[in-house]
Amino acid sequence: MTSLLQVSHLTAGYGDFKAVFDVDVQIESGETIAIVGANGAGKSTLLRAIMGQVRIHAGSVFFRDKDLAAEPTSHRSHMGLAMVPEGRRLFPSLTVRENLQIGATAKRQGPWNIGKVVELFPLIDRLMNRSAAKLSGGEQQAIAIGRALMGNPELLLFDEVSLGLAPVVVKQLYAALPEITREGTTAVVVEQDIHQALAVSDRVYCLLEGRISLTGRSSEIGKSSITKAYFGEI
Amino acid sequence: MNWLNALVQGVLLGGLYAIFATGLSLAFGVMRFVNLAHGDFAILAGYLTLSTASALGLSHPLATLLVVPLMAGIGFAGQRLLFNRTIGPDPLAGILCSFGLGVVIQNLLLEKYSATDRFLDAGSIETDSFKLNDSIAIGYFPLLTFVSAVVLLGALQLFLSRTKMGRAFRATADDPKTAQLVGIDDKKIYGIAMAIAFGTVGIAGFFLGARETFAPSSGPSQLLFGFEAVVIGGLGSLWGTLIGGVVLGVAQTFGNQLSVGWNLLAGHIVFLLVLAFRPNGLLGTGVRT
Amino acid sequence: MTEVTLKRSSPASRIGSAAVTGMFVLVALYPFYGNDRTQVTLVEVLGYFSLAMMWNLLAGFAGLVSVGQQGFVGIAAYSLFALAELNPVDPFLSIPLAALITAAFSVPIALVVFRLRGGYFAIGTWVVAEVFRLLTLEIEALGAGNVQSLTAKNAFDGYGVELRKDLVFWMAWVLAVGSVVITVAVLRSRLGLALQAVRDNADGARGLGVNLSRVRLTIWVTAAAWVGATGALFHLNSATVTNRDAFSVASWTALVVFIVIIGGVGSAHGPFIGVGVYWIITEQLGKQSTLRFVVLGAVAALMAVIAPKGIAGMLRRWRQFEIFPIERRLVLKEEKE
């Protein structure tokens, strides 16, 4: 059986610049994967390469048996591959409700709709008619996750959810993750916060200067090995 | 000196400018694309109406009903084939491409139709009017133009705020990359936006051609008026284009009252004053680039 | 510690500069060995070359995409008329004076249009040009729109026909050479480095302390002066000033823009190529034809989209080079030359 996502020997970056080198990642349906690394290690670039937003210099990305290199970015959500982008990136000209509605542009079957998203993040309920431009970071993040869920994705990539948010808010957001995966979505979480990442994931990949420095089961990774893989040899 | 009449005529004239400005504003709002050939395409639409009418034996208004969707098709094709490649952080390509296109259109029209002034015939409605009072007469045609502008802008506003596609327009205008992430085909959106913009250009061409004579070189002045209406009203505001058109129209008619032939200059000067002292326009939301 | 030096020239630029200099020397001597008809054509070619270099500086390097150049030409043309015909100012001295007047006007113009960016800036410059055109129609002293002539009695008093012809030619030569000198000087200077930085990344450049407005204004005023001088020269040559032609978008902006796009906008040697193409097309299709505009316009419109760096860009993809010493290459001491 083919993996849900297979990244092979991927070298990618913005334009001529390369940010990830020869990266192999394999994700099976039902797992929760964490990708960790320091600032600039290439984590977001990897996610963006999977979503078709940066240039692939070498290697491939397969979603089930489909080669993503040939697909424009806008097809991915129709295929079942979604991302919660770094910085949330809600649409400021749209209300919160409209941001959620537009998440369902890819009309895919599944349990997620506005009602269920509000169940997951009750704080959204009173914000529905607000302009998306005037929200706190935590509110935006919840809505951004909700927007991505509206497309009922099979694979959902989370790009730096904790960035710029208070720890207690981050905890609340991650508390929602089990519910998301229980409903059948496979999650890939990109995080700078190692503890958070290991706590929510089954397996972890660590990136250092664009290359995979470590991979393994989250429960089995030792503190010293992940620290070395994260920061590199001093 | 009949200032009140000038005011009324100026407001109605503003309707025409608002129709021109709408297409310009839409293309810029969704795609950050400034079509320097906007006016030339309107004149092209006028000539297409002339040719279609004589080829099919139709009246000009009926021919326009055919030309408008034709223009929309041209806009859609133009966007998909040519203009989509100009989208990006550097506006240079779009400006230069549309500028070149405008010159090409003007000269091709000159080749085919010669420089003789032409006009569109909308029937007796063009000259009929009713009297508001002793000094003010309101022409049915200018009134129709103004009402059309309001209807057009209203329809566009409804489209943007109430429909799924309109929502996709707004999202794409905000953030094309994230719009792609949620599954919006931005290339298709741009095509449709341009189709709508060109449709308004077709309508504008009709109202212009019926109101005054036109020639292959008439395009650029319409471009300038449309642009001035957008800036006076304020970028980013759809109703702003109506206000801007009206202010421009009134400035022109007032200028004419001061001295015949000063209408254009008065309009331009009001525009420059607004630009100097209220660069965001009268209703602008501050999006200047 | 490795030593780092800044190399400004390369073998290509040395050859290129020598070739261009040689070419200009040959052209300067043309009145002595050439025929009259071609000399007249050369005046036009040199003039358009000068206009093209300036527009390239504005649009390709300073990011100021103006389609209102005709405004500067018109202002200069009427200034020339006022100076040389209405007043006893030497016609050839009037040209730099007209340039100064144009430069003076360009400052308040900048204050207004610089509030706009991109396509709206472009249209703004067009509006301003229109305003000046309409204003000149109102001024009685300038003929209020009627055709004005530079007569042998007033303007050209003291100049025989032959002398006039040759002086006009050499003036065109000076303007053309000057435009190259200005462009190379700007690009070699700190101002040029600032422009490159701004072109690559405006926000980053601002963060580094580059005074964007001052950089842009300097280029704008310089270009206005030079375009004014060139426009004045053209009108001195034709000895006629008409409102429509002096402020014509087609003559003073469209052709210039097409020349630069086809040659390669943002490349110092692009205008050479562009003017060459213009010359050939004009010889083939004639000056009055609409076909000239259709061909040049269509090619330019397509190139803007498909080959935005023009012919120069296509050449550069084949082999990286500059024909002028405007590069800045850091060379480590170990590097062999």
Side-chain angles (χ1 to χ4, degrees), chain B residues 28 36 85-86 92-93 95-97 99-100 104 107 110-111 220 223-224 227-228 235 262 265 268 275-276 279 288-289, chain C residues 55 65 112 115-120 123-124 126-127 130-131 134-135 138 254 258 261 290 293-294 297-298 301 304-305:
Chain B
F28 184 75
L36 290 189
R85 294 167 200 263
T86 68
L92 196 66
I95 299 170
L96 299 178
C97 178
F99 181 70
V104 169
N107 282 276
L110 195 56
E111 275 293 310
L223 171 72
L224 299 191
F227 156 73
E228 289 175 336
L235 294 177
W262 273 33
L265 199 53
H268 291 322
L275 192 58
R288 245 192 295 135
T289 38
Chain C
W55 195 84
V65 185
V112 172
R115 289 162 186 268
L116 298 165
R117 287 273 177 275
Y120 282 150
I123 307 183
W126 202 337
V127 171
E130 259 303 284
V131 168
L134 292 168
L135 282 174
E138 301 295 320
F258 298 157
I261 297 176
T290 51
F293 281 99
V294 171
V305 169

Side-chain angles (χ1 to χ4, degrees), chain A residues 51 53 73-74 77-78 89 91-94 98 101-102 105 107 147, chain B residues 161 164 167-168 170-171 174-175 177-185:
Chain A
M51 295 307 283
Q53 291 185 323
T73 301
S74 49
S77 113
H78 296 265
R89 306 205 72 107
F91 298 113
S93 299
L94 276 55
E98 288 174 320
Q101 286 171 327
I102 209 161
T105 299
K107 297 185 198 54
R147 180 179 63 181
Chain B
S161 55
K164 255 184 85 176
R167 200 172 51 209
R170 282 184 288 141
D174 276 343
D175 189 343
K177 284 200 149 19
T178 308
Q180 288 173 345
L181 280 184
V182 302
I184 295 174
D185 183 353

Side-chain angles (χ1 to χ4, degrees), chain A residues 58-234:
Chain A
S60 65
V61 180
F62 274 80
F63 183 64
R64 291 217 188 278
D65 48 6
K66 214 123 205 266
D67 185 357
L68 291 185
E71 305 283 338
T73 301
S74 49
H75 275 188
R76 278 161 174 72
S77 113
H78 296 265
M79 292 166 68
L81 182 54
M83 177 160 89
V84 184
E86 185 184 350
R88 278 76 77 172
R89 306 205 72 107
L90 295 183
F91 298 113
S93 299
L94 276 55
T95 62
V96 169
R97 185 192 307 276
E98 288 174 320
N99 266 279
L100 292 177
Q101 286 171 327
I102 209 161
T105 299
K107 297 185 198 54
R108 288 173 51 84
Q109 299 284 35
W112 293 104
N113 52 36
I114 292 198
K116 196 154 170 65
V117 166
V118 170
E119 253 183 62
L120 189 68
F121 295 118
L123 64 91
I124 296 182
D125 197 26
R126 63 180 176 80
L127 299 173
M128 277 304 205
N129 294 317
R130 282 249 214 114
S131 155
K134 303 177 183 134
L135 299 169
S136 74
E139 289 166 342
Q140 285 185 24
Q141 192 66 74
I143 297 162
I145 296 174
R147 180 179 63 181
L149 286 172
M150 291 291 292
N152 284 297
E154 270 195 81
L155 180 62
L156 184 50
L157 312 177
F158 292 80
D159 197 349
E160 306 257 25
V161 153
S162 68
L163 213 54
L165 299 180
V168 62
V169 174
V170 174
K171 255 205 159 100
Q172 284 174 338
L173 290 169
Y174 274 118
L177 195 57
E179 175 65 26
I180 295 174
T181 50
R182 199 179 11 254
E183 289 290 350
T185 304
T186 304
V188 175
V189 173
V190 157
E191 259 302 336
Q192 278 186 48
D193 182 341
I194 306 182
H195 296 293
Q196 190 66 258
L198 290 176
V200 302
S201 59
D202 302 313
R203 282 194 297 125
V204 64
Y205 288 87
C206 185
L207 278 174
L208 175 66
E209 287 168 9
R211 291 176 198 276
I212 303 276
S213 53
L214 178 70
T215 177
R217 299 211 65 81
S218 308
S219 49
E220 294 164 9
I221 299 264
K223 186 162 174 209
S224 73
S225 34
I226 190 99
T227 312
K228 208 181 339 164
Y230 192 105
F231 292 105
E233 303 285 352
I234 305 290

Side-chain angles (χ1 to χ4, degrees), chain B residues 62-266:
Chain B
L62 274 181
T64 302
L65 286 178
L66 290 177
V67 168
V68 169
L70 175 63
M71 291 301 292
I74 293 176
F76 185 80
Q79 185 65 36
R80 296 302 298 233
L81 294 173
L82 200 61
F83 301 135
N84 263 345
R85 294 167 200 263
T86 68
I87 296 185
D90 185 9
L92 196 66
I95 299 170
L96 299 178
C97 178
S98 61
F99 181 70
L101 221 49
V103 172
V104 169
I105 291 173
Q106 281 181 47
N107 282 276
L108 284 178
L109 287 176
L110 195 56
E111 275 293 310
K112 176 133 170 59
Y113 295 99
S114 89
T116 331
D117 280 340
R118 307 296 199 103
F119 59 91
L120 294 179
D121 187 0
S124 62
I125 194 179
E126 272 182 50
T127 43
D128 283 351
S129 63
F130 62 92
K131 278 191 150 352
L132 202 57
N133 63 28
D134 276 343
S135 49
I136 303 177
I138 297 192
Y140 281 118
F141 198 68
L143 185 60
L144 178 64
T145 311
F146 187 82
V147 168
S148 303
V150 173
V151 168
L152 188 62
L153 282 167
L156 209 51
Q157 190 61 49
L158 277 175
F159 168 74
L160 285 175
S161 55
R162 296 283 175 87
T163 67
K164 255 184 85 176
M165 171 118 338
R167 200 172 51 209
F169 269 50
R170 282 184 288 141
T172 310
D174 276 343
D175 189 343
K177 284 200 149 19
T178 308
Q180 288 173 345
L181 280 184
V182 302
I184 295 174
D185 183 353
D186 54 330
K187 300 280 187 281
K188 193 173 82 164
I189 296 288
Y190 296 146
I192 298 176
M194 211 48 166
I196 297 177
F198 267 61
T200 67
V201 160
I203 298 172
F206 168 71
F207 281 116
L208 176 72
R211 181 200 166 84
E212 55 192 61
T213 59
F214 60 96
S217 55
S218 305
S221 31
Q222 300 310 317
L223 171 72
L224 299 191
F225 296 148
F227 156 73
E228 289 175 336
V230 170
V231 171
I232 293 175
L235 294 177
S237 161
L238 213 47
W239 288 112
T241 55
L242 184 63
I243 307 283
V246 165
V247 169
L248 182 64
V250 170
Q252 288 189 353
T253 50
F254 275 11
N256 213 39
Q257 281 288 111
L258 282 174
S259 168
V260 177
W262 273 33
N263 52 344
L264 297 184
L265 199 53

